Amino acid sequence: MSSEERRVFGARVADLRKQRGMTQGELSAAIGRTASWLSQVERGIQPVNRLDVLRLLADGLGVPLQVLEPAAPPPAEAEPTPQPETNDLDQARLVLSGHPALGVLLSPRQDFRPDTLDDLRAAVVKVWDLTHGDRFAELSAAVGPLVPRLERASRTAPAKYLPELHDLLARTYQALAAAFVRQNEADAAWVAADRAIREAELSGDPLGVFAGVYRLCHAFVRLQHLDQAEHAAATAVSALQHHAEVDEPAPQHLSVLGSLHLMLALVHARSGDRPSARREIDAARVIAHQLGTDRNDFNLEFGPTNVEVQAVSTAVDLGDAGEALDIAKDLDTAGLSSERQARLLMDVGRAHAQRRQYADALDSLLRAEELAPEMIHTHVASRSVVHDLVLVAGRAASDELRALAERTDSLP
């Protein structure tokens, strides 16, 4: 590059960065470079000649390579666009590794731009959409730049913006905790939930703290630390109930309290404690009746319908397949997310398998797969029942069942 070419290129980078609402620190962190390097590029001092660096910069700016550098060679037409082969959370795990904003600690500053808030809000909504859709590879890619941006913003913004920024961080970490649990990566879920709890407290939203405890309990259950899950959930329920006795609880309060009762039902069911599990389901039913409608506060999807979905799952965990099928028979889940609808169908499939109704079990699992394929492919319970169905069928296993076993990696 000549000096004039460097100047024009640097100005283009700066313009594209500003259009994206990103600071030099945010862009440089997203592409793994220093802010000093990026500053020199934008001022026309540092040339960018290597194609791989150009592509990295274009990806960080969210533009095609030819928009960033029109002289760059076009992609070969014969080469198909590579598609992700796995639906993993590898990049999301890296986001949790270490401190998220070391550079700000060394160079304190206040360079937050309020006009980026709309973009940050939309990004957090997208994170939850991807989580509910079990689109974990996309989720992992989205949080890669988002979490560092939020973490830096929460340390560089004026005080009046901090409550919302901490709330956005809490919601993002809650989504990560939920995703890691579904991917059976409970250690990462524990870290994400713990961070969500801290950020919710910093935001000034106590109910967000309790929602974070709910996510933490799911990590404990997946780790089979049922005593820790019971302690955390029971402590949270006690605090919320005491508060409800003093003040009239808001709907959000009831949603969180009811969800924690469902968490205790899950813990007791996994422990084989039938009376305690039923008691917690009944407590959740009372709260859902008081709430009167299905809600989605803190992405918990609590309400009368979801209580019955959890009641089905609890009955299956306790080996009460007939009760599970009776509850599920007239349950209308059309108003719930596809994830919850698929979860119900998966549990119905487990119940049919317990009753040796193998054709019905397969049908339920296939219907669940249509709604949430990644959940059925990765969930421990679904893979276990598919594995058992193949074992029982033996050589008589249908092509449909064998294909499902291959997709879920459940062949004996």
Short mmCIF file of all heavy atoms in Angstrom, two decimals, residues 1 4 76 145 176 186 267 284 302 307 318 329 394:
data_model
loop_
_atom_site.label_atom_id
_atom_site.label_comp_id
_atom_site.label_asym_id
_atom_site.label_seq_id
_atom_site.Cartn_x
_atom_site.Cartn_y
_atom_site.Cartn_z
N MET A 1 0.84 -1.20 0.00
CA MET A 1 0.00 0.00 0.00
C MET A 1 0.88 1.25 0.00
O MET A 1 1.83 1.34 0.77
CB MET A 1 -0.89 0.05 1.26
CG MET A 1 -2.11 -0.83 1.25
SD MET A 1 -3.11 -0.53 2.73
CE MET A 1 -4.50 -1.59 2.39
N GLU A 4 -1.00 7.09 0.37
CA GLU A 4 -2.35 7.55 0.05
C GLU A 4 -3.35 6.39 0.16
O GLU A 4 -4.47 6.56 0.68
CB GLU A 4 -2.40 8.16 -1.35
CG GLU A 4 -3.80 8.61 -1.80
CD GLU A 4 -4.36 9.72 -0.91
OE1 GLU A 4 -3.59 10.36 -0.17
OE2 GLU A 4 -5.59 9.92 -0.96
N ALA A 76 -13.61 -17.54 -4.60
CA ALA A 76 -13.75 -18.46 -5.73
C ALA A 76 -15.18 -18.97 -5.81
O ALA A 76 -15.74 -19.42 -4.81
CB ALA A 76 -12.77 -19.62 -5.57
N PRO A 145 -18.32 -11.34 20.59
CA PRO A 145 -18.07 -9.90 20.70
C PRO A 145 -18.99 -9.19 21.69
O PRO A 145 -18.64 -8.15 22.24
CB PRO A 145 -18.32 -9.40 19.27
CG PRO A 145 -19.29 -10.38 18.69
CD PRO A 145 -18.97 -11.71 19.32
N LEU A 176 -26.58 -17.84 28.58
CA LEU A 176 -25.44 -18.74 28.45
C LEU A 176 -25.56 -19.91 29.43
O LEU A 176 -25.27 -21.06 29.08
CB LEU A 176 -24.14 -17.98 28.70
CG LEU A 176 -23.61 -17.16 27.53
CD1 LEU A 176 -22.37 -16.38 27.94
CD2 LEU A 176 -23.29 -18.05 26.33
N ALA A 186 -22.10 -28.44 32.39
CA ALA A 186 -22.59 -27.85 33.63
C ALA A 186 -21.54 -26.98 34.31
O ALA A 186 -21.88 -26.05 35.05
CB ALA A 186 -23.06 -28.94 34.57
N VAL A 267 -35.56 -31.52 41.65
CA VAL A 267 -34.53 -32.05 42.55
C VAL A 267 -35.06 -33.26 43.31
O VAL A 267 -34.40 -34.31 43.40
CB VAL A 267 -34.05 -30.96 43.52
CG1 VAL A 267 -33.14 -31.55 44.58
CG2 VAL A 267 -33.32 -29.85 42.76
N ALA A 284 -46.44 -25.04 43.14
CA ALA A 284 -46.32 -24.28 41.89
C ALA A 284 -47.69 -24.10 41.24
O ALA A 284 -47.96 -23.03 40.65
CB ALA A 284 -45.37 -25.01 40.94
N PHE A 302 -43.05 -19.29 33.03
CA PHE A 302 -43.86 -19.86 34.10
C PHE A 302 -45.33 -19.49 33.93
O PHE A 302 -45.66 -18.39 33.51
CB PHE A 302 -43.38 -19.37 35.48
CG PHE A 302 -44.17 -19.97 36.61
CD1 PHE A 302 -43.88 -21.25 37.06
CD2 PHE A 302 -45.22 -19.29 37.18
CE1 PHE A 302 -44.62 -21.83 38.08
CE2 PHE A 302 -45.97 -19.85 38.21
CZ PHE A 302 -45.66 -21.13 38.66
N VAL A 307 -46.46 -25.37 34.38
CA VAL A 307 -46.48 -26.21 35.57
C VAL A 307 -46.85 -27.65 35.20
O VAL A 307 -46.25 -28.62 35.68
CB VAL A 307 -47.46 -25.66 36.62
CG1 VAL A 307 -47.68 -26.67 37.75
CG2 VAL A 307 -46.92 -24.35 37.20
N LEU A 318 -40.12 -40.00 38.14
CA LEU A 318 -40.49 -40.87 39.26
C LEU A 318 -40.97 -42.25 38.80
O LEU A 318 -41.30 -43.09 39.63
CB LEU A 318 -41.59 -40.20 40.09
CG LEU A 318 -41.15 -38.95 40.87
CD1 LEU A 318 -42.37 -38.22 41.42
CD2 LEU A 318 -40.19 -39.32 41.99
N LYS A 329 -52.26 -35.53 28.15
CA LYS A 329 -53.29 -35.84 27.14
C LYS A 329 -54.04 -34.62 26.64
O LYS A 329 -54.25 -34.44 25.43
CB LYS A 329 -54.27 -36.86 27.73
CG LYS A 329 -55.36 -37.31 26.79
CD LYS A 329 -56.16 -38.45 27.40
CE LYS A 329 -56.72 -38.08 28.76
NZ LYS A 329 -57.52 -39.16 29.36
N GLY A 394 -33.72 -54.32 18.52
CA GLY A 394 -32.72 -55.22 17.96
C GLY A 394 -32.69 -55.15 16.45
O GLY A 394 -32.76 -54.08 15.84
#
